[in-house]
Amino acid sequence: MSQRHNHLLRLQEVMDLLGVSRATIDRWRRDKQLPHIKIGKEILVDKHKLDTWIQQHSRAIPSPVSPLPPMPPRVEHSSSRTIVVGYQSGAALLWSPLIIKQLGFFEEELRAISPGIDYHVRWVNAPNGIELVEDIIAGRVNIASIGDYPMIASIALSRILPRFRPLMLAFDGKTRNGEGISLVVPANSSAYRPEEFSAVKIATVGHSSASYRLSEWEKGLGLEFNPVVHRTMGDCMNGILDGSIGASMLWEPYLSWAKALGAGIPLQSEGVSSDYLTGLISDNEWAHNNEDVVIAYLKAHLRAHEFIRQEPDRASSLVQAGSGFPISVIASVLSRIRWDASFYNKDLMTLNQLGESQMDLLQSHETHRGGFEFDKRFLQEAVEALKLPILPDSALPGEWSHEMLY
């Protein structure tokens, strides 16, 4: 467009004037009827109509602007910000951050949304999800990938820490009916039936999705496993290899690795019928104060899922470089995980079952003091920005669909 009236502003000019991002402008256009016109591919805003709109929505903008002054010469402002992302290279259902990190997807999306800001992404590799929840509470981590039990544990923590409000942003890897976690015994073990385990040492990661499922075994079979020792997942695996423990609840990829080595035998998942789910969480206040960053990460998250599905061989190599697991084990495990960020009723019911009455709060977008919230708007905006099929406002119905993978 070679010429335009002086009272028409480009979106970048409106963003500079109001000090907001493109995502915020797009949301105002959609939700608050921000006045605009579209000529070809260019979106313009009438300065006079914008002045009126600002007066009507003065609480929605960072500071009151009235009347609009003449447009000053554009000055580029640069600043530096650090974003900290927590991940777990030792948990296969949480390997998407390894893809994001290795390919620089997040940094790429950050540069796209705010080219004037010098973003630094720091990655924190944690041995378990509870440590990442603690880091989010302390402000040391901004976004974290964790398993389903740490998600639920964050609820209890939020009820005793009123300033902490965990926000679920999206799901990550999913496996059906406990396929991603199983109780494993050494190959030379003489104890194969659960009722024989009362006299053997059982190890698992404390306060984790694995320890939760071990407790479900106990409840489902009416047994009491004693003693249960808490170790890292690597130590649990070594205990299976050297026979120093009688059984361990292993998650992927340790489960497949033990099988591939012929060192461990998984047992039937009696008493454990729920899906194994993982996802992304953040602190609610931080997420809403950094919406552009959250949307940028979710775009990277969706791109990583697509990359794993479309290029499994390259994905396996990247995960191997970032985790150190055997590439044959990685390739086998990646193909059995459902990489899907979307919310299904099925998933929310699984989390409800996991957290019992605490998780009733997941059925609403509304704010609940001390409760675990999810806000699909962030994921929806990321989906829309990537020009993927639009996600509905409500959770997807029915079983997982092969036609709708995010």
Side-chain angles (χ1 to χ4, degrees):
M1 187 173 164
S2 60
Q3 292 183 341
R4 60 188 169 95
H5 298 291
N6 290 334
H7 62 89
L8 293 179
L9 308 176
R10 292 189 175 92
L11 284 191
Q12 186 61 56
E13 293 173 327
V14 178
M15 291 160 55
D16 293 340
L17 182 65
L18 300 182
V20 297
S21 67
R22 174 61 186 266
T24 299
I25 291 291
D26 288 342
R27 186 170 67 255
W28 286 350
R29 286 169 51 208
R30 184 180 65 246
D31 299 339
K32 298 182 180 296
Q33 291 78 49
L34 176 69
H36 65 278
I37 59 175
K38 192 170 184 180
I39 302 177
K41 294 184 178 180
E42 186 165 20
I43 297 172
L44 303 171
V45 176
D46 186 303
K47 183 163 56 174
H48 305 302
K49 291 182 179 180
L50 178 61
D51 187 17
T52 301
W53 181 88
I54 288 173
Q55 294 181 31
Q56 295 172 346
H57 299 82
S58 58
R59 293 184 180 180
I61 63 175
S63 60
V65 182
S66 180
L68 282 175
M71 287 297 297
R74 184 172 176 181
V75 178
E76 294 291 341
H77 298 280
S78 63
S79 58
S80 178
R81 290 186 59 196
T82 298
I83 309 298
V84 186
V85 180
Y87 69 104
Q88 301 171 67
S89 65
L93 275 75
L94 296 166
W95 275 343
S96 58
L98 287 179
I99 303 296
I100 297 170
K101 179 183 179 184
Q102 300 278 41
L103 294 179
F105 282 168
F106 187 28
E107 290 87 345
E108 189 176 300
E109 295 295 344
L110 287 171
R111 287 193 297 269
I113 62 167
S114 300
I117 298 178
D118 183 17
Y119 282 103
H120 298 276
V121 179
R122 187 161 61 85
W123 299 85
V124 174
N125 189 8
N128 59 68
I130 286 295
E131 287 195 16
L132 290 175
V133 172
E134 293 174 353
D135 285 341
I136 288 178
I137 292 171
R140 295 187 294 265
V141 167
N142 305 128
I143 299 171
S145 297
I146 62 175
D148 46 18
Y149 181 80
M151 294 183 202
I152 304 305
S154 68
I155 295 173
L157 292 171
S158 73
R159 290 182 174 176
I160 60 175
L161 300 171
R163 292 185 180 179
F164 172 54
R165 289 168 51 198
L167 177 67
M168 185 172 183
L169 301 170
F171 281 101
D172 201 356
K174 306 174 184 179
T175 54
R176 192 181 299 277
N177 296 331
E179 291 177 358
I181 301 182
S182 180
L183 191 63
V184 176
V185 298
N188 59 358
S189 174
S190 59
Y192 289 99
R193 293 177 302 191
E195 56 267 25
E196 298 174 325
F197 292 157
S198 59
V200 302
K201 181 189 296 184
I202 297 179
T204 192
V205 178
H207 306 295
S208 70
S209 297
S211 63
Y212 166 78
R213 282 159 176 82
L214 183 61
S215 69
E216 288 297 287
W217 269 63
E218 291 185 280
K219 294 176 185 176
L221 297 172
L223 301 173
E224 183 175 349
F225 297 151
N226 186 37
V228 174
V229 295
H230 291 167
R231 298 182 178 177
T232 67
M233 188 55 69
D235 287 340
C236 290
M237 173 73 172
N238 288 332
I240 293 293
L241 293 177
D242 62 25
S244 61
I245 58 175
S248 180
M249 189 68 72
L250 300 182
W251 59 53
E252 294 287 16
Y254 295 95
L255 173 58
S256 291
W257 197 6
K259 290 167 60 178
L261 292 172
I265 300 174
L267 303 183
Q268 292 290 330
S269 301
E270 299 178 41
V272 182
S273 59
S274 63
D275 299 332
Y276 176 28
L277 306 172
T278 64
L280 304 176
I281 73 163
S282 182
D283 177 73
N284 187 301
E285 182 177 0
W286 184 90
H288 284 89
N289 287 337
N290 297 272
E291 293 184 356
D292 292 352
V293 173
V294 172
I295 293 168
Y297 190 84
L298 288 174
K299 289 172 67 179
H301 184 65
L302 293 169
R303 290 173 62 189
H305 282 186
E306 179 69 9
F307 183 88
I308 295 171
R309 295 194 297 264
Q310 297 298 323
E311 301 193 52
D313 292 339
R314 284 189 63 198
S316 297
S317 296
L318 291 171
V319 171
Q320 199 279 330
S323 68
F325 290 103
I327 196 164
S328 59
V329 172
I330 293 169
S332 173
V333 172
L334 280 179
S335 66
R336 299 196 304 273
I337 296 173
R338 178 183 175 90
W339 300 100
D340 186 0
S342 58
F343 293 80
Y344 276 78
N345 278 326
K346 168 186 175 67
D347 302 327
L348 300 184
M349 289 177 64
T350 297
L351 290 179
N352 277 329
Q353 179 183 4
L354 179 63
E356 298 179 347
S357 61
Q358 294 182 64
M359 290 307 299
D360 288 341
L361 301 179
L362 263 175
Q363 301 302 329
S364 172
H365 289 271
E366 297 176 1
T367 298
H368 296 266
R369 180 178 175 83
F372 193 56
E373 305 170 46
F374 74 100
D375 190 338
K376 283 190 66 179
R377 178 173 53 83
F378 293 110
L379 183 59
Q380 287 171 318
E381 292 200 19
V383 165
E384 184 176 351
L386 293 174
K387 303 187 185 306
L388 300 174
I390 301 301
L391 282 168
D393 290 333
S394 57
L396 294 168
E399 294 292 312
W400 294 337
S401 167
H402 291 292
E403 288 74 35
M404 296 189 70
L405 280 169
Y406 292 84

